[in-house]
Amino acid sequence: MTQHVTVRLNGGAVRGRRFDGHLSFRGIPYAAPPVGDRRWRPPAPIAPWSGVRDATEPGNPAPQSAQSFADVTSVDEDCLTLDVTVPAAPGTGRPVLVWLHGGGGTNGTAATYDPRRLALTGDLVVVAPNFRLGVFGCFGYPGLADGGTFGLRDQQAALRWVRREITRFGGDPANVTLVGESYGALMIAAHLVSPTSAGLCHRAILQSAFAVMGSTPAHTFIPGVPALPPRWLPAAELDRLGAATAAEHGWVTPGSDPESALAQLRRVPVADLLQASAAFIRPAFGGPTLPESPGEALPAGRFHRIPLMLGTTRDEARFFVGLFADLAGNPVTAESYPRLLAEAFGDAADEVAARYALDHFPTPSLAWAQICTDRAWARPAWELGRAFAAHTDTWFYEFADRDAPPLMPLPGFPTGAQHASELVYQFDFPGGPSLSATQRELADRMNRYWAAFATNGDPACVDQPAWPDLGTGHVQSLAPDRINGTDYKADHRLDFWARMP
């Protein structure tokens, strides 16, 4: 028999479910639906409701089209809801962990992640919001105020909801940790710089943040993809991109004034806008929400001083090379390898080739994946960590279980500790892979570290291996057979990459 539990919030009462050991509340609105005239506007307060609102089913995902790496589809803009998971045992003043999902900026939903193990292991309240993505989250157009920041502002609204309401779930609004993976981690970098995020969280964890600072040479994100621009876009440039995209698709009558054009754009069907979603994943700077590019502000030390954790997986890029090259029928070959090197590194190609000789790797694709991991993931993560550590307490990790069961199997391709492989150790996924007994032990240790950081601003745990901060140069390796320091710089040839383009 299903047991329900009711919590009264400022906007009205919600009814969640009581499970063995934890309580679950899903689909709670934290802002008004951004539909109709509210498209591309800041999140607005919710309208109070009468009676008891059902909170047993997930809210709508943000509008998105299915991708090879994500099979969720949605065309409903009413998506500003969040899930709350809390231990069932009575308690107050619990640390709060707010989870920002990944998905490349176009995809993802909180409902995919079941955080009960994190909540129970660490005695935490876990909050997971949905937020606008792609063309709905990062669109800009001449005359559109503070364009390119709507997803970021949704996350800020969710954090303000936590500040107002989390005591009703036993959480401590003065002890909030913001955690994100991949695109979610990139957004945390924006929160660290945004003046309107000040005080909304008290520490943060960035898991596999991609290219927060610096450049990404051709092919080092995905083979076949040119050099990527910075992950942050000047507002004026975004406005030009939005205008050009709208004209190209015929969404706006030629010669319309900005106000009329925006009114027309707010009537364009969701499915039509989603055709352009991948072009609008970079938050824009130059407005009140994000005045400065995090790519410039963070290395200069202009960010909120809170304790920080960050890290990567040992084989980040195997996911991208395996999925978008090998499984797409276009693996890296001995013949294509020199061309990729030349297009990525120009005059330095021969030096890179000498460091990553093909006879040192089982296949050319794995050689290229190692180059991409080291150059596009490890180098910028290390530089970001050092920038943080110069100004605040910072801890760095590497998830290194090369036998990790992949969330997305890549048949015939050795996934290793690929991008997102640590998530199975933190969350349960519907139909997801299972962990061995030793991997379950690692998962428990990882969740205890994360919980200790959320509780105290330091991952140190009783009966766990010590974890010195990054100021000492220490990187904590997380694997079933080894939790201790690793020579991250040597493993990823970072001294070499520091002098490469």
Side-chain angles (χ1 to χ4, degrees):
M1 180 177 176
T2 301
Q3 290 186 304
H4 292 104
V5 58
T6 299
V7 172
R8 182 160 295 279
L9 307 175
N10 285 308
V14 294
R15 180 180 60 242
R17 284 182 177 169
R18 181 184 297 274
F19 293 93
D20 183 19
H22 74 283
L23 311 177
S24 173
F25 301 84
R26 312 193 79 176
I28 301 173
Y30 65 85
V35 301
D37 190 54
R38 295 227 57 82
R39 179 187 285 177
W40 298 316
R41 295 192 193 275
I46 57 172
W49 61 89
S50 58
V52 179
R53 183 186 181 104
D54 182 70
T56 62
E57 298 295 332
N60 297 320
Q64 56 195 276
S65 301
Q67 307 287 341
S68 58
F69 58 88
D71 60 3
V72 173
T73 299
S74 176
V75 292
D76 195 331
E77 290 178 85
D78 182 1
C79 63
L80 300 187
T81 64
L82 52 77
D83 299 343
V84 180
T85 304
V86 59
T92 60
R94 286 181 165 116
V96 181
L97 189 154
V98 178
W99 170 252
L100 302 182
H101 66 76
T106 57
N107 291 78
T109 174
T112 302
Y113 305 83
D114 180 348
R116 64 175 180 258
R117 283 189 285 126
L118 258 174
L120 294 173
T121 299
D123 197 30
L124 306 171
V125 178
V126 182
V127 178
N130 287 327
F131 44 89
R132 283 174 282 183
L133 299 168
V135 70
F136 297 92
C138 286
F139 187 68
Y141 195 85
L144 180 60
D146 212 14
T149 64
F150 302 109
L152 181 64
R153 295 175 81 169
D154 292 344
Q155 295 160 19
Q156 292 173 340
L159 289 166
R160 293 188 185 98
W161 182 94
V162 167
R163 189 162 60 186
R164 292 192 308 270
E165 306 283 12
I166 208 64
T167 56
R168 300 167 191 267
F169 298 91
D172 181 358
N175 192 3
V176 176
T177 298
L178 192 56
V179 187
E181 187 267 345
S182 195
Y183 190 78
L186 183 83
M187 296 302 284
I188 291 177
H191 285 289
L192 290 172
V193 173
S194 172
T196 48
S197 291
L200 294 180
C201 68
H202 308 95
R203 30 197 154 266
I205 304 174
L206 298 84
Q207 301 181 200
S208 298
F210 178 70
V212 171
M213 307 185 312
S215 63
T216 306
H219 310 298
T220 58
F221 176 47
I222 295 172
V225 172
L228 296 182
R231 296 295 81 198
W232 318 101
L233 189 63
E237 186 177 335
L238 177 63
D239 288 351
R240 290 192 291 272
L241 174 63
T245 302
E248 176 188 346
H249 289 271
W251 293 335
V252 172
T253 302
S256 296
D257 62 85
E259 186 176 348
S260 298
L262 286 170
Q264 293 177 60
L265 286 166
R266 291 189 169 105
R267 293 192 295 268
V268 176
V270 169
D272 292 352
L273 291 173
L274 285 174
Q275 299 173 39
S277 209
F280 296 94
I281 59 174
R282 293 187 287 160
F285 64 91
T289 301
L290 194 61
E292 185 178 11
S293 167
E296 296 180 2
L298 292 171
R302 294 189 293 272
F303 61 88
H304 306 310
R305 298 288 191 268
I306 57 175
L308 297 166
M309 267 176 57
L310 76 160
T312 61
T313 67
R314 180 68 180 81
D315 305 298
E316 292 274 8
R318 289 195 189 184
F319 175 83
F320 303 94
V321 175
L323 180 61
F324 297 108
D326 279 48
L327 266 67
N330 189 32
V332 180
T333 64
E335 291 72 32
S336 65
Y337 193 65
R339 175 182 59 80
L340 294 173
L341 286 167
E343 293 178 2
F345 305 111
D347 293 342
D350 289 345
E351 195 171 356
V352 178
R355 291 279 182 151
Y356 295 83
L358 285 180
D359 58 6
H360 294 168
F361 297 90
T363 68
S365 282
L366 287 174
W368 189 255
Q370 190 64 58
I371 289 174
C372 298
T373 293
D374 295 351
R375 173 58 183 85
W377 293 92
R379 171 179 154 176
W382 181 255
E383 291 172 350
L384 181 63
R386 298 302 294 178
F388 287 159
H391 301 281
T392 192
D393 294 338
T394 304
W395 289 263
F396 199 105
Y397 71 88
E398 179 175 66
F399 177 79
D401 184 3
R402 286 183 145 166
D403 295 317
L407 263 175
M408 175 173 285
L410 304 175
F413 193 87
T415 53
Q418 68 175 4
H419 185 67
S421 56
E422 86 279 21
L423 297 179
V424 179
Y425 293 68
Q426 300 172 286
F427 300 92
D428 293 309
F429 294 84
S434 58
L435 300 174
S436 69
T438 55
Q439 289 171 333
R440 276 275 175 178
E441 182 179 354
L442 172 62
D444 180 71
R445 287 177 173 270
M446 288 173 57
N447 286 345
R448 287 173 61 197
Y449 277 134
W450 265 240
F453 181 78
T455 302
N456 305 310
D458 184 329
C461 292
V462 176
D463 300 328
Q464 291 250 79
W467 186 343
D469 65 52
L470 185 58
T472 67
H474 182 91
V475 174
Q476 192 82 328
S477 177
L478 302 171
D481 59 344
R482 189 183 81 166
I483 298 181
N484 58 11
T486 187
D487 193 342
Y488 190 85
K489 291 182 67 178
D491 291 344
H492 296 286
R493 301 170 172 87
L494 296 187
D495 286 340
F496 168 73
W497 286 113
R499 56 185 179 83
M500 287 292 108

